[in-house]
Amino acid sequence: MEDKSLKEDKKYAADIDSITKAHARIKPYIHKTPVLSSETLNSIAGKSLFFKCECFQKGGAFKFRGASNTVFSLEDEQAAKGVATHSSGNHAAALALAAKMRGIPAYIVIPKNAPKCKVENVRRYGGQIIWCEPTMQSREETANKVLNETGAVLVHPYNDPRTISGQGTLSLEFLDQVPQLDTLIVPISGGGLISGITIGAKSINPGIRVIAAEPKGADDAAQSKASGQIITLAQTNTIADGLRASLGSLTWPIVRDLVDDIITVEDKEIVDAMKLCYEILKVAIEPSGAIGLAAVLSDSFKQNPAFKDSRNIGIVLSGGNVDLGVLWESLHLHG
């Protein structure tokens, strides 16, 4: 069996030291989010499930951890010029909020097709919105223009050591709240969240299993892991708008070496899991946030003998910024 424990001789973009320092830095600003459980969901899954509710984080998603770590680690001189990013979602709002807390400007490049609720969040937190076309090329070109004009610091949504360390603080909290966890299921997109969580969790408990959950319509991480090199998709097709990015140069080595497996699920399974979260946990989450529960209830998890001894499973409900109009349509479509 391949050894997925942390190698001391391997250098990754984050380590337990950078994650612990990030936690100390952002603790005054973040919420220590609650962990929920449900006997009904346990009986449906046949496992003990523990839900880390990052939908209750400031900004409505885990992204505030990485954004605040980056913003509050900047030197005053750098910070004064502001921060910038290109994002269609939760990272944009998180960065705007962190910048507002520090009293510096945030320039947010947003594609024209971004979910309305996520754009509203950026506005609410005082971010300056610059629109672009919904292509990576347009996003990057527009962001570069903003950086040249303002001198702002680019804060990448996931491919940045400060972001990865900030997201890793979630694992310190989760394992403190539920020390008996033997498996974690984490959404994967650009890989910032799962990279930070994997480094943090495996430093505390080397035997813990970390599984990524990914939509079948955006399964670049699963394809990358299977082929041993980064695969990028020309296009993605999934309701989970937060899970459409590709792995970065800093997150890929962690996903390749340390993440134990990747489970892909259909959009219908994601919507079904969302319904369970609403109806049973009474928690409003976006599609990307429901994918961990979808994975644990999927046949590929249930029928895989490797996961038979996973008993206490931590599931990250990564965010709750859902466009309700789109949600009703999807429930009607997939229901």
Side-chain angles (χ1 to χ4, degrees), residues 184-204:
L184 294 172
I185 301 189
V186 185
I188 192 166
S189 181
L193 177 63
I194 199 165
S195 293
I197 285 179
T198 303
I199 299 272
K202 293 203 175 198
S203 299
I204 296 165

Side-chain angles (χ1 to χ4, degrees), residues 96-116:
L97 178 57
K100 185 182 182 182
M101 285 179 161
R102 185 152 181 190
I104 62 174
Y107 306 98
I108 315 290
V109 174
I110 300 186
K112 290 171 181 167
N113 66 345
K116 193 160 163 254

Side-chain angles (χ1 to χ4, degrees), residues 29-30 57-58 61-69 94 97-98 101:
Y29 308 104
I30 62 169
Q57 188 51 265
K58 286 182 183 170
F62 74 90
K63 295 275 190 183
F64 184 67
R65 293 174 183 272
S68 58
N69 186 46
L97 178 57
M101 285 179 161

Side-chain angles (χ1 to χ4, degrees), residues 84-239:
T85 196
H86 54 86
S87 166
S88 61
N90 293 325
H91 173 68
L95 188 63
L97 178 57
K100 185 182 182 182
M101 285 179 161
R102 185 152 181 190
I104 62 174
Y107 306 98
I108 315 290
V109 174
I110 300 186
K112 290 171 181 167
N113 66 345
K116 193 160 163 254
C117 66
K118 296 187 179 180
V119 177
E120 288 307 318
N121 276 350
V122 174
R123 281 214 179 95
R124 190 178 297 139
Y125 300 136
Q128 299 183 38
I129 295 172
I130 301 100
W131 296 102
C132 72
E133 295 305 318
T135 64
M136 192 50 80
Q137 187 186 351
S138 173
R139 278 166 69 150
E140 288 175 351
E141 283 173 1
T142 311
N144 285 335
K145 191 163 169 272
V146 170
L147 293 175
N148 290 335
E149 287 170 5
T150 61
V153 177
L154 179 69
V155 181
H156 197 278
Y158 51 88
N159 208 44
D160 184 308
R162 300 164 297 188
T163 306
I164 294 168
S165 295
Q167 318 308 23
T169 61
L170 188 154
S171 61
L172 304 190
E173 283 182 16
F174 207 175
L175 286 172
D176 179 55
Q177 290 165 309
V178 193
Q180 71 270 31
L181 291 175
D182 55 49
T183 304
L184 294 172
I185 301 189
V186 185
I188 192 166
S189 181
L193 177 63
I194 199 165
S195 293
I197 285 179
T198 303
I199 299 272
K202 293 203 175 198
S203 299
I204 296 165
N205 173 7
I208 201 164
R209 179 179 281 146
V210 182
I211 299 168
E214 187 172 47
K216 283 204 169 129
D219 66 344
D220 57 294
Q223 288 188 37
S224 300
K225 199 151 168 67
S227 67
Q229 58 183 359
I230 294 191
I231 304 258
T232 51
L233 304 177
Q235 60 192 87
T236 56
N237 181 20
T238 175
I239 188 176

